[in-house]
Amino acid sequence: MTWLARAVADVERDPETVYALFPRAAREGGPGARAELLRALGKALPDPAAAVMKLYWQGDAGERLEILESLPQLDLGPAALPLVHDALRTNDTRLVAAALGPYGSAWLDDHAFRQGVLKCVFMSVPLASVEGLGRRFDEELRRMLADFAAERRAAGRPVPPDVLERL
Amino acid sequence: MRIFDPHVHMTSRTTDDYERMYAAGVRAVVEPAFWLGQPRTNVGSFLDYFDALLGWEPYRAAQYGIRHHCTLALNPKEANDPRCAGVLDELPRYLLKDSVVAVGEVGYDSMTPEEDRVFEAQLALAEEHGLPVLVHTPHRDKAAGARRTLDVVKGMDPGMVLVDHLNELTVGMVHEAGCWMGFSIYPDTKMDPQRMVAILKEYGTERMIVNSAADWGRSDVLKTREVGEAMLAAGFTDEDVDRVLWQNPVAFYGQSGRLTLDDVESGGDYEGNTILRGTR
């Protein structure tokens, strides 16, 4: 039995074991192991939101990233939005980009979504990586990007092409 | 010259330092958890610090092509403040993290009964988690502190113990005990490059580890490189320099099974990487 198979069985039997297994899962179980454990947690608990949140708050950057990436598969409704807001407060491009994945795109309100998109522009996260940008693009976001472009031009700095093409 | 700085407090340094370190050959660092200059007053303050050592600081280092690992512990100075004692209850979950390669800095500051208790509790945690231990030796009453330290770690595998901040008066006893020997090279305290070379001539390069220990005080992140240059000038070979500045710290921290250097050892150009670079 592999480390991962044993860990998944442990979590399905006793969800509390996930807190000791999840931090080690990438090095013991390989890529994808953390996502497997989150899936097992979703099966073991009728409402896994609190456990997923605890894992995130106790997680290092790598754990947090994998939790954000797994959110669309976990069927949590808007309960995990505080995690997305937390990731958007960081200055880690990996976390900011993951926050604007399918889950963030589905649940963030308009203001927070627009701020997230603008943050991506500031951090050079390609806008193509923002899930559902076409669907959620609105006049206010267009205005914010135009103001950003004007600020860059006033400073004599180039405007990124992925901003220009959306004006 | 490739350099692994096994003890450097990057939290207190600017990005200019990361740039200078990369240019000097530094490709990997270990940042031990320690005091921050201003004493902490509560456990939460430690947890935010540990989270930064596991999140923001490795991310920041990666932007400059440097791999960042850390060691975590309740340091000996703050072991004396009962308001911080709860850190010991939080440590076990932190010691599971991927980039934690040792328990440290543990050891003595003023050699109090509280320091004894915290030191021993953390040695037990290290054994439980299969992690090596980075031991700080006190600046005041150093020789007595080093002797007492060696007494405390006597029951452990000496290969899992790095005794740090050594000098001419304390290196001998640690050498004899079979532990790894750490030296912090500073502009005007602890050790300097010339004295370091003299110690390497006397004791050889085996189990010898050199760090800059740079922090918020007067210190220099390039002292490791200076030692390498002083070694070459004194007739040591490139292989000797590589052993002290790379292979030895890699062998010591590698015992954690958590050292990941594949991205930096290949010597690839980090600047060509995408924004998603960095450790997962």
Side-chain angles (χ1 to χ4, degrees):
Chain A
M1 206 178 195
T2 63
W3 184 92
L4 180 57
R6 216 168 26 245
V8 165
D10 284 349
V11 171
E12 285 176 351
R13 183 179 40 77
D14 176 7
E16 283 292 309
T17 59
V18 78
Y19 302 111
L21 294 168
F22 193 72
R24 301 157 55 196
R27 62 178 187 271
E28 308 272 9
R34 284 184 177 144
E36 282 297 320
L37 291 184
L38 291 172
R39 256 196 294 278
L41 198 60
K43 269 169 70 180
L45 293 170
D47 179 10
V52 172
M53 307 266 282
K54 182 173 171 183
L55 280 175
Y56 180 93
W57 297 125
Q58 295 194 347
D60 61 22
E63 291 170 82
R64 290 179 180 198
L65 183 59
E66 296 201 52
I67 289 169
L68 291 169
E69 289 171 347
S70 283
L71 289 179
Q73 282 85 52
L74 291 175
D75 198 20
L76 300 175
L81 261 181
L83 308 185
V84 176
H85 286 291
D86 176 78
L88 287 172
R89 279 192 296 272
T90 70
N91 243 10
D92 184 325
T93 51
R94 299 164 302 170
L95 296 174
V96 170
L100 292 179
Y103 184 87
S105 176
W107 293 106
L108 282 170
D109 66 29
D110 290 339
H111 179 78
F113 182 78
R114 293 186 204 112
Q115 286 288 331
V117 172
L118 204 55
K119 184 156 182 171
C120 286
V121 172
F122 272 87
M123 298 179 82
S124 305
V125 174
L127 289 184
S129 75
V130 177
E131 178 77 17
L133 181 57
R135 177 174 51 82
R136 300 210 53 177
F137 202 87
D138 59 9
E139 185 48 35
E140 178 65 358
L141 181 52
R142 198 204 61 79
R143 181 202 59 78
M144 289 164 75
L145 291 176
D147 285 358
F148 165 81
E151 200 180 326
R152 293 293 289 248
R153 288 194 195 99
R157 294 184 180 141
V159 180
D162 59 350
V163 171
L164 276 179
E165 69 197 25
R166 287 175 170 82
L167 295 181
Chain B
M1 196 182 288
R2 58 176 181 171
I3 299 170
F4 185 124
D5 194 330
H7 182 151
V8 58
H9 299 283
M10 294 311 298
T11 300
S12 59
R13 313 300 296 197
T14 64
T15 51
D16 288 8
D17 282 329
Y18 272 125
E19 280 178 351
R20 292 163 63 230
M21 289 164 78
Y22 185 86
V26 178
R27 293 293 179 273
V29 297
V30 168
E31 176 156 10
F34 202 65
W35 191 50
L36 280 182
Q38 175 72 31
R40 298 174 181 90
T41 59
N42 65 84
V43 173
S45 189
F46 277 88
L47 303 190
D48 286 341
Y49 172 63
F50 292 165
D51 286 342
L53 294 183
L54 294 166
W56 175 240
E57 203 56 48
Y59 179 76
R60 205 164 74 102
Q63 307 309 303
Y64 298 90
I66 295 177
R67 184 75 178 90
H68 182 288
H69 295 84
C70 67
T71 77
L72 297 181
L74 172 57
N75 65 76
K77 269 182 201 279
E78 287 167 309
N80 290 300
D81 187 334
R83 293 174 298 180
C84 301
V87 173
L88 289 184
D89 301 327
E90 303 286 343
L91 262 180
R93 71 177 171 90
Y94 277 100
L95 296 181
L96 300 170
K97 304 299 186 193
D98 281 340
S99 61
V100 176
V101 292
V103 172
E105 298 178 56
V106 296
Y108 288 117
D109 179 56
S110 304
M111 292 187 268
T112 63
E114 288 78 14
E115 288 173 31
D116 271 323
R117 192 180 65 77
V118 170
F119 189 5
E120 292 192 28
Q122 295 188 103
L123 292 179
L125 279 178
E127 290 212 292
E128 230 169 86
H129 288 81
L131 288 170
V133 188
L134 172 62
V135 188
H136 163 99
T137 52
H139 305 309
R140 303 176 302 276
D141 204 9
K142 185 179 280 291
R147 263 193 301 279
R148 187 151 153 191
T149 296
L150 290 174
D151 275 346
V152 173
V153 301
K154 208 172 249 166
M156 300 182 66
D157 171 3
M160 292 291 271
V161 180
L162 166 52
V163 185
D164 213 343
H165 311 315
L166 299 179
N167 59 23
E168 291 85 351
L169 301 181
T170 49
V171 57
M173 62 179 105
V174 181
H175 186 262
E176 198 176 318
C179 301
W180 294 78
M181 292 156 276
F183 298 86
S184 300
I185 317 297
Y186 271 83
D188 46 23
T189 57
K190 300 196 177 89
M191 290 293 294
D192 66 42
Q194 294 309 326
R195 287 164 52 211
M196 188 64 231
V197 167
I199 284 180
L200 289 167
K201 278 187 179 158
E202 185 174 349
Y203 290 92
T205 56
E206 202 185 322
R207 290 186 280 124
M208 290 288 187
I209 290 184
V210 169
N211 63 69
S212 73
D215 53 27
W216 55 86
R218 182 150 192 263
S219 51
D220 178 357
V221 289
L222 302 186
K223 283 294 176 198
T224 47
R225 168 97 197 185
E226 274 186 44
V227 168
E229 283 165 1
M231 285 177 71
L232 291 174
F236 283 98
T237 64
D238 287 333
E239 170 63 18
D240 293 329
V241 172
D242 193 62
R243 184 174 309 130
V244 172
L245 295 185
W246 188 271
Q247 296 167 38
N248 283 353
V250 167
F252 175 72
Y253 288 119
Q255 298 178 105
S256 66
R258 304 187 203 171
L259 209 55
T260 52
L261 297 169
D262 34 338
D263 41 345
V264 291
E265 268 179 328
S266 64
D269 175 17
Y270 75 93
E271 296 191 271
N273 289 355
T274 71
I275 50 115
L276 297 178
R277 71 172 168 261
T279 169
R280 290 172 71 99

